[in-house]
Amino acid sequence: TAFSEPFSTSQAFQIMRNDRSKTEQTNRLKAIEAYLRKKNPKIPPQKSSLYANLIEDCASRYDLDPFLVASVLVKESTAREKAVSKGNYGLMQINWKANKPWIVKTFPIQSTKELMTPSNNVRIGAHILAANIKKCRGDVDRGLDRYRGRPLASYRNSVHQHYLGISEIFRKLQANT
């Protein structure tokens, strides 16, 4: 059954709030890498490892769930570094036109070429996601609506399905350690 607010009722999301310590980091990274390669088999292992580490670092910096950041990344670009669609750029599909004024003031980024760099793109995407969730008083579903630019249940549900996929890989890795 599709929920219009999947994260507010997600048992997997609530469980992962307790599994964000350093001790689970290795399996989180492995789960994110595996999921990225599952959704985009063309990603070389070194790139999926780079992306997973960027996701983990940026999620930690902005106090986000790394699986949520990874899920948005997969939904937005299918983990394609060079993705460009309707003025949105990179892994996290940052809208340059809408965000350029504050990006150039906040980050050392002056062009879409710099925005396309994975480290810049994931950091800015995580920054935007965290700011939107904070504006919505911690409501992840509403924060996702703001990230996307408008409410759309199918978008939230899709991000949640990716989240569940990563969580399942993580649970299996945890069970085997």
Side-chain angles (χ1 to χ4, degrees), residues 6 27 33 37-38 85 93 98 116 118 126 135 140 149 160 163 166:
N27 284 340
E33 287 179 47
R37 285 193 309 273
K38 177 180 177 180
S85 176
Q93 288 293 280
M116 294 289 283
K135 285 177 187 171
V140 173
H160 188 250
Y163 190 96
I166 300 167

Side-chain angles (χ1 to χ4, degrees), residues 39-68:
K39 290 299 172 178
N40 184 348
K42 294 179 182 179
I43 299 175
Q46 67 273 18
K47 283 281 190 178
S48 63
S49 177
L50 169 71
Y51 298 164
N53 279 288
L54 287 171
I55 289 164
E56 181 78 20
D57 291 346
C58 292
S60 177
R61 175 183 290 179
Y62 293 107
D63 195 29
L64 290 168
D65 182 325
F67 293 177
L68 178 62

Side-chain angles (χ1 to χ4, degrees), residues 1-9 75 140-142 144-146 148-162:
T1 305
F3 297 101
S4 62
E5 297 182 356
F7 284 93
S8 65
T9 59
K75 172 61 180 163
V140 173
D141 294 300
R142 298 284 79 78
L144 286 170
D145 288 346
R146 290 181 65 93
R148 187 179 184 289
R150 68 182 177 99
L152 190 62
S154 61
Y155 179 82
R156 293 187 302 271
N157 289 334
S158 181
V159 171
H160 188 250
Q161 287 304 309
H162 291 303

